[in-house]
């Protein structure tokens, strides 16, 4: 059954796309109602991750275009700009502690989950899914 | 406040009092604990601050969330284990040397048999009017930072007095706190102690680029205070007035020698407790270490590494482990740091003070790199200054300290290409690699060779090298690898932590096993999830061997962003598009079409170095629309994004040129179309010149062809870029068919055997047998693989499809070209542009840029804002 990807934007779980829109190992950019940009990723095992889309090293909104991978036990994404690697679990940069502007090189982590959509898939907007569904279910 | 029980000892116990628990005080306690004779001392520490020693070097990280625990330098349990009685918040206020007691602020009297003064220094505040008004700060302790942060909340503008190392740190902190920040430096340049004039100029520019206002050659005349008693503005010596809600003084430090002075100990003319080579004062029972001391070489050191060295000397002297070699007679004041994101380093005799010293200088203000080496009379490296790129610091500093004549021409060491990963510089064994802990190259080698430490973390733990400021870790890593290799221990040559194989080995695995996916390869022959190093490399191998569109199925997840979007990412996240213009030949209609597309999408256009037209400023969601227009007009992808064939440049050839002897344009077009889309370890460039005048610069290419009156000469292994190399002549006077067959085989042989990102030039120099071997393989089939190489190239040529057109024909792929998955029609608001020279460029931070849309800038004329 297909899944709907939902992002918690601070107030509510909002459907952002169908899981089929995501290529395993890659991301997409999401625009929240509040105008923030979030990078949402699907890993090879089907797990979802969501981080700020802004790369603190270049200032460009490109994290969603990075390559997923791992460093040791940490699942990672590499910024496509200057290749700094971030931990998908806590958003920390594993290569440098601070960005060029002196701020900590940490991406905000957004709650994200995949919920089973009612079959057949509703269109164009998926119906609200059960909020109790745990992430990665 | 009862001392913890001490280890059993038979020696008579004597009292040791340490005044000050800063970085050096703590280092002293650790060094003492390491001495066998430490058990003879009962240690009491009198500290002024309310918390144990913490890392002042990284104080600024407190602003970005580091807490006291992270900054702490006192290992948990350390004090208890060694029975040290630390009395926080109770500073010493008087010493009675006759009675051998110290009195504290709370009125206690502590007797001593030996006394160590580690009182550090205090920030110098120039006595200008208003210096003590509310809003004025120094930058020394966590309490100072707390006060600055509290004041910053009600401030808009901050001024830092002093453009030294700490001043720039403070400026960075004020900037991060959201203040408009000024730095006022009395000297004519920033970091006057470490950096020379040229380096200072570049540093100033780089820091101004970050939004900090820098005023050099300016003194502080007065602070003007408002009615509320808070600082309001600052008047400079040149009469200017800067608004200032908050002021941080960072105009240098002075030794805290008052206690010693008052107890009658000799101090230097400009301060500092006079000590000898054992760090002992004029009173044999009293020692002084760190920034409060005037060392035996007549200097007061304001850096932590010399302070640590003094702490070790004093600890040995007190515990009976002192020998002549432990004497403190001076220290290395080299520094390497990242200030506001700008790399700065200076080492040795950075200002060329030695008699007869000569400079070798490289300065590129365009890319923000400045390097100066100071060379002595007999060719030895004395010191240097590096700004913007301090990559080579780890290697140059120990070389300068060792004082040996250079084996490499110094020009080579400052030029961008001079220092490769390993570098051409050989360090002598006695060169001090880690100056924080005084570890020589020989000691590192011994740890690898004799003590069986085979990894960098093991060597760090065993020798302490690389555990101080960390600037030597890169050099340390190189030494460990070299030593391991010399000892016959295999060094990981693999692509990355996920594959132990080289690219060439992975190529063979894929070729022999017929694996067609990354998952199968990493699960069967690697580990983990891969990374941005191995994934694109495997993608390239699969593209060559397994075929298919590079964005098909799982392959899409492997591509670097450029390949993923079939365009080149630019600094603001927009992309550039380069249509293929084979051989640089283009019709007027083609030119007009490209011009119309650029105009309609408001793209910036530029002729590239490879005879093509680059169109900049496209958003992800605009790419398919742009390709549609280009493909409809007969253009195709130029693969400017891929590690693949880029261009085959040409001169005009015999058709028009009065000197040309062959049709260089025709051949260039044929070669470009034959090899277009060919995935390779590194991008490939080529050229064809119609005569020996070489107008197409074929000898600067991976493969270059030069016409002769009797055929074609083929050159291979050339490149431009940072380490230019002229190509070597592989074969002469070839007919067209033989020429193409030879290039086919050369390219396939290179693709099969080269390392990741290895250019043909370095491949040719690395491969055993060099040019002769390559010639034997591709012309005489010495390995018997030519039929296979030919077949691979035939398959490539036959299977070529334009990647742009393939995306346009595939609705599933097309859907990926949206700025936002949940708002496909919304352009990315973060991608904004401003006009420049009649076109557009990405907006810089703080500039009021506008999103680039066809509607905004469409039309034959672009409104250009002036002023």
């Amino acid at each position: 059954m297909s899944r709907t990807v939902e992002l918690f934007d601070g107030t509510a779980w909002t459907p952002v796309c169908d899981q089929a829109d995501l290529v395993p190992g890659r991301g997409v950019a999401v625009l929240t109602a509040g105008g923030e940009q979030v990078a949402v990723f699907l890993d090879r095992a089907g797990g979802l991750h969501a981080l700020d889309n802004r790369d603190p090293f270049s200032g460009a909104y490109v994290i969603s275009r990075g390559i997923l991978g791992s460093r040791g036990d940490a699942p990672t994404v590499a910024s496509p700009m200057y290749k700094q690697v971030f931990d998908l679990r806590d958003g920390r940069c594993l290569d440098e502690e601070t960005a060029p502007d002196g701020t900590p090189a940490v991406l905000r982590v957004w709650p994200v989950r995949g919920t089973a959509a009612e079959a057949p898939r509703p269109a164009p907007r998926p119906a609200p899914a059960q909020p109790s569904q745990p992430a990665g279910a | 406040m009862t001392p913890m029980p001490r280890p059993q000892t038979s020696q008579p116990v004597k009292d040791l009092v340490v005044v000050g628990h800063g970085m050096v005080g703590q280092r002293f306690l650790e060094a003492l604990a390491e001495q066998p004779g430490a058990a003879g001392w009962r240690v009491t520490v009198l500290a002024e601050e309310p918390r144990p020693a913490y890392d002042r070097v990284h104080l600024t990280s407190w602003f970005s969330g580091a807490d006291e625990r992270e900054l702490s330098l006192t290992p948990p349990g350390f004090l208890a284990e060694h029975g040290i009685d630390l009395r926080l918040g109770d500073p010493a206020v008087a010493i009675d040397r006759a009675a051998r007691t110290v009195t504290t602020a709370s009125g206690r009297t502590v007797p001593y048999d030996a006394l160590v003064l580690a009182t550090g220094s205090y920030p110098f505040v120039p006595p200008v009017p208003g210096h003590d008004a509310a809003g004025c700060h120094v930058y020394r302790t966590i309490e100072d930072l707390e006060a600055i942060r509290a004041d910053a909340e009600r401030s808009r503008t901050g001024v830092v007095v002093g453009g030294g190392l700490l001043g720039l740190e403070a400026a960075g902190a004020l900037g991060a706190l959201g203040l408009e920040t000024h730095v006022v430096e009395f000297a004519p340049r920033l970091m006057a102690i470490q950096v020379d004039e040229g380096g200072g100029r570049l540093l100033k520019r780089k820091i101004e680029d970050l939004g900090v206002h820098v005023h050099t050659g300016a003194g502080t005349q007065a602070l003007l205070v408002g009615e509320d008693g808070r600082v309001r503005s600052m008047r400079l010596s040149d009469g200017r007035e800067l608004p200032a809600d908050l002021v941080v003084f960072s105009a240098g430090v002075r030794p805290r020698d008052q206690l010693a002075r008052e107890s009658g100990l000799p101090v230097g003319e400009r301060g500092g407790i006079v000590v000898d080579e054992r760090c002992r004062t004029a009173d044999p029972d009293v020692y002084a270490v760190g920034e409060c001391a005037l060392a035996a070489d007549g200097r007061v050191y304001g850096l932590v590494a010399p302070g640590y060295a003094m702490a070790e000397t004093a600890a040995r002297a007190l515990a009976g482990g002192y020998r002549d070699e432990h004497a403190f007679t001076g220290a290395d004041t080299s520094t390497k740091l990242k200030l506001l994101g700008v790399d700065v380093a200076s080492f040795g005799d950075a200002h060329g003070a030695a008699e007869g010293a000569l400079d070798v200088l490289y300065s590129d203000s365009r890319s923000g790199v400045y390097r100066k080496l100071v060379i002595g009379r007999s060719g030895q490296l004395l010191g240097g200054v590096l700004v913007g790129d301090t990559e080579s610091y780890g290697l140059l500093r120990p070389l300068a300290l060792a004082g040996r004549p250079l084996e490499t021409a110094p020009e080579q060491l400052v030029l961008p290409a001079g220092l490769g990963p390993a570098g051409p510089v050989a360090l002598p064994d006695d060169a001090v690699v880690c100056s924080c802990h005084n570890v020589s190259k020989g000691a590192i080698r011994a740890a690898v060779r004799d003590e069986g430490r085979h990894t960098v973390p093991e060597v760090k733990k065993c020798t302490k090298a690389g555990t101080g400021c960390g600037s030597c870790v890169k050099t340390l890593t190189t030494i460990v690898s070299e030593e391991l290799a010399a000892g016959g221990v295999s060094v990981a040559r693999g692509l990355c932590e996920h594959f132990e194989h080289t690219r060439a080995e992975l190529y063979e695995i894929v070729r022999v096993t017929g694996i067609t996916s990354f998952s199968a390869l990493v699960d069967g022959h690697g580990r983990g999830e891969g990374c941005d190093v191995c994934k694109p490399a495997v993608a390239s191998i699969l593209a060559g061997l397994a075929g298919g569109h590079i964005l098909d199925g799982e392959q899409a997840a492997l591509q670097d962003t450029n390949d993923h979007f079939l365009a080149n990412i630019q600094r603001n996240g927009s992309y550039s598009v380069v249509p293929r213009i084979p051989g640089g030949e283009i019709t007027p209609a083609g030119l007009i079409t490209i011009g119309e597309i650029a105009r309609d999408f408001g793209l910036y256009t530029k002729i590239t170095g490879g005879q093509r037209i680059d169109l900049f400023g496209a958003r992800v969601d605009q790419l398919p629309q742009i390709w549609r227009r280009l493909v409809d007009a007969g253009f195709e992808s130029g693969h400017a994004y891929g590690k693949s064939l880029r261009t085959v440049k040409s001169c005009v050839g015999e058709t028009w040129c009065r000197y040309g002897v062959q049709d260089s344009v025709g051949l260039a077009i044929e070669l470009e179309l034959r090899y277009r889309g060919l995935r390779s370890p590194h991008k490939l460039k080529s050229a064809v010149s119609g005569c020996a005048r070489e107008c197409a610069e074929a000898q600067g290419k991976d493969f270059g062809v030069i016409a002769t009156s009797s055929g074609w000469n083929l050159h291979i292994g050339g490149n431009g870029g940072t380490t230019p190399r002229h190509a070597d002549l592989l074969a002469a006077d070839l007919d067209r068919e033989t020429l193409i067959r030879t290039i086919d085989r050369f390219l396939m042989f290179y693709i099969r055997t080269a390392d990741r990102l290895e250019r043909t030039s370095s491949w040719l120099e690395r491969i055993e047998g060099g040019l002769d071997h390559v010639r034997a393989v591709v012309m005489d089939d010495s390995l018997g693989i030519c039929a296979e190489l030919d077949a691979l190239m035939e398959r490539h040529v036959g299977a070529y499809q334009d990647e742009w057109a393939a995306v346009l024909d595939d609705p599933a792929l097309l859907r990926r070209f949206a700025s936002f998955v949940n708002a496909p029609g919304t352009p990315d608001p973060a991608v904004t542009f401003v006009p420049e020279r009649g076109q557009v460029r990405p907006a810089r931070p703080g500039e009021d840029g506008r999103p680039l849309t066809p509607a905004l800038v469409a039309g034959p004329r672009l409104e250009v804002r002036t002023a």
Side-chain angles (χ1 to χ4, degrees), chain A residues 109-135:
Chain A
V109 179
W110 295 68
V112 63
R113 65 184 180 184
T115 56
E118 299 298 326
R121 206 172 101 203
R125 275 277 171 238
Q130 301 87 335
S132 59
Q133 202 85 8

Side-chain angles (χ1 to χ4, degrees), chain A residues 26 29 31 37 65 68 70 72, chain B residues 497-498 530 535 559 573 821 828:
Chain A
R26 281 223 98 96
L31 194 63
Q37 291 200 28
R65 304 177 207 162
L68 293 199
S70 62
Chain B
E497 69 172 79
H498 307 100
K535 279 182 163 180
Q559 312 292 348
V821 68
D828 183 346

Side-chain angles (χ1 to χ4, degrees), chain B residues 268-544:
Chain B
E269 213 170 289
R270 301 173 62 190
I273 307 160
V274 176
V275 296
D276 64 11
E277 294 176 355
R278 298 176 181 229
C279 297
R280 200 165 47 178
T281 67
D283 178 338
D285 295 327
V286 182
Y287 291 72
V289 291
E291 297 183 323
C292 65
L294 178 64
D297 65 345
R299 294 179 63 178
V300 174
Y301 287 93
L303 291 170
V304 76
Y308 280 2
M310 292 167 92
E312 277 162 41
T313 298
R316 285 176 192 277
L318 278 159
Y322 179 86
R323 292 192 302 277
D324 282 349
E325 73 247 38
H326 300 128
F328 184 88
T329 53
D332 174 23
T333 53
S334 303
T335 36
K336 176 191 168 197
L337 33 125
K338 204 177 187 111
L339 283 169
L340 301 158
V342 183
D343 289 308
V344 184
S346 81
F347 55 95
D349 181 7
H351 297 289
E355 207 193 320
L358 300 169
D359 287 354
V360 180
L361 192 75
Y362 172 86
S363 176
D364 179 358
S365 46
R366 198 172 43 89
S367 64
V369 172
Y370 177 89
R371 298 191 190 92
K372 184 181 85 174
L373 297 184
V374 178
I375 309 295
R377 268 188 177 164
S378 47
Q380 75 276 34
L381 180 63
L382 296 177
V385 175
L386 309 168
V387 179
D389 174 14
T390 52
E391 189 78 8
S392 50
Y393 171 79
L395 215 48
L396 294 174
R397 180 188 49 79
L399 204 65
L401 300 185
R404 301 280 167 83
L406 287 169
E407 288 170 23
T408 315
E411 306 81 73
Q412 235 188 306
L413 298 181
V414 295
L415 286 172
L419 288 154
V425 188
L427 285 178
D429 257 2
D430 58 357
V432 173
V433 173
C434 170
S435 63
C436 293
H437 293 286
N438 208 12
V439 185
S440 67
K441 178 183 176 182
I444 294 165
R445 289 183 58 203
V448 177
R449 190 181 54 228
D450 306 334
E451 297 178 43
R453 318 289 165 149
H454 284 178
T455 66
V456 171
E458 280 172 15
V459 172
K460 278 167 105 172
K461 207 168 168 187
C462 159
T463 62
K464 279 195 164 182
T467 61
C469 68
S471 66
C472 64
V473 171
K474 195 161 175 271
T475 306
L476 171 70
T477 307
T478 310
I479 295 170
V480 171
S481 310
E482 280 173 359
E483 193 59 25
L484 285 172
V489 180
S490 70
V491 183
R493 313 165 298 132
L495 266 190
C496 58
E497 69 172 79
H498 307 100
F499 288 102
E500 284 168 13
H501 308 282
T502 62
R503 183 192 166 280
E505 288 164 351
L506 286 177
Y507 185 94
E508 290 304 312
I509 290 171
V510 172
R511 193 178 67 83
V512 172
T513 60
I515 283 174
T516 58
S517 75
F518 178 81
S519 285
L521 192 63
V522 78
D523 291 344
H525 302 273
R527 68 176 82 85
E529 291 293 310
C531 64
D532 60 310
V533 170
C534 62
K535 279 182 163 180
V538 169
S540 158
I541 294 171
L542 292 174

Side-chain angles (χ1 to χ4, degrees), chain A residues 15-18 20-21 23-32 35-38 43-45 53 58-62 64-73 75-76 78-83 85 96-104 125, chain B residues 61 64-65 172 175-176 210 338 340-341 497-498 518-520 522-523 527-532 535-536 553-561 564-565 569-575 620 815-816 818-823 826-831:
Chain A
V16 292
C17 65
D18 198 286
D21 296 334
V23 176
R26 281 223 98 96
V28 293
V30 166
L31 194 63
T32 70
E36 287 158 305
Q37 291 200 28
V38 184
D43 64 28
R44 214 157 52 106
N53 196 31
S58 62
Y61 289 73
V62 294
S64 60
R65 304 177 207 162
I67 290 178
L68 293 199
S70 62
R71 187 177 287 183
D73 295 331
T76 58
S79 166
M81 206 59 95
Y82 302 119
K83 314 296 182 202
V85 169
E96 291 180 50
E97 284 182 4
T98 46
D101 63 2
T103 57
R125 275 277 171 238
Chain B
S61 66
S64 47
L210 296 166
K338 204 177 187 111
L340 301 158
E497 69 172 79
H498 307 100
F518 178 81
S519 285
V522 78
D523 291 344
R527 68 176 82 85
E529 291 293 310
C531 64
D532 60 310
K535 279 182 163 180
E554 200 202 54
Q555 279 210 61
L558 309 179
Q559 312 292 348
D560 207 352
T561 185
H564 192 67
F565 290 105
I569 197 166
Q570 304 297 341
R571 60 183 312 141
N572 63 346
S574 68
Y575 287 83
V620 165
R815 265 205 302 277
R816 294 181 195 161
S819 283
F820 302 105
V821 68
N822 61 338
T826 308
D828 183 346
V831 176

